[in-house]
Amino acid sequence: EAGVAQSPRYKIIEKRQSVAFWCNPISGHATLYWYQQILGQGPKLLIQFQNNGVVDDSQLPKDRFSAERLKGVDSTLKIQPAKLEDSAVYLCASSLGASGMSYEQYFGPGTRLTVT
Amino acid sequence: RKEVEQDPGPFNVPEGATVAFNCTYSNSASQSFFWYRQDCRKEPKLLMSVYSSGNEDGRFTAQLNRASQYISLLIRDSKLSDSATYLCVVNSKNTNAGKSTFGDGTTLTVKP
């Protein structure tokens, strides 16, 4: 079974530039998550989709971050414009059902973003 | 106060030692609980779910105390390969689906 795919694996940009990350979840997984993990901290949920609908984006900085999941499959996360504090690993995860129903989350390898 | 709190460690233990980690959570309506393992510069992976009655998987034992709002992970007979960061995860129900909150992790180093 193929895992969660993410690209790119690494990205270096200057502040005020824009960047986009792509995620392809495990086939058949209804729920897709984007997390931000800053060094030394646990993953912080940015946005959660169930199929192609947003169920939680309460921690997404909507003035600069946006995400979409067209057709309920793959997803993109965009940052525009980037700030220095956006330097982090961006993790995509998917699960068969909603996390509140005790489904395991499978994580992709992440995109390591450095903003200079 | 953070929703999920863990002792960051680091815990440095010799091979064969027994080590325990605790994790406290603030939302009394939390429904499900997990321990994930994260190796350096890798993605988190599920280690085990935590059930109300407690559960064991080989050398690993997880327990839940709803009254005191904490979960624990016990590792017996530590191996070098157990060196990693252990993340506590607490799920709660929001309007449409569950929401996962991760702790900041506890770092374990097992030494020969």
Side-chain angles (χ1 to χ4, degrees), chain A residues 94-116:
Chain A
S94 69
S95 66
L96 198 56
S99 64
M101 297 178 68
S102 304
Y103 287 106
E104 175 180 356
Q105 293 184 48
Y106 295 82
F107 284 83
T111 297
R112 189 171 300 272
L113 174 67
T114 302
V115 182
T116 63

Side-chain angles (χ1 to χ4, degrees), chain A residues 58-78:
Chain A
S58 57
Q59 298 189 96
L60 186 74
K62 298 180 185 64
D63 58 334
R64 298 184 301 107
F65 286 65
S66 64
E68 59 182 10
R69 189 184 185 194
L70 298 176
K71 301 181 182 179
V73 182
D74 55 354
S75 176
T76 56
L77 176 71
K78 296 178 182 178

Side-chain angles (χ1 to χ4, degrees), chain A residues 37 42 48 99-100 102 105 108, chain B residues 32 36 38 43 91 98 100 103-104:
Chain A
Q37 187 171 25
Q48 178 178 340
S99 64
S102 304
Q105 293 184 48
Chain B
S32 55
Y36 277 71
Q38 186 170 28
E43 70 272 23
N91 287 351
S100 294
D104 285 337

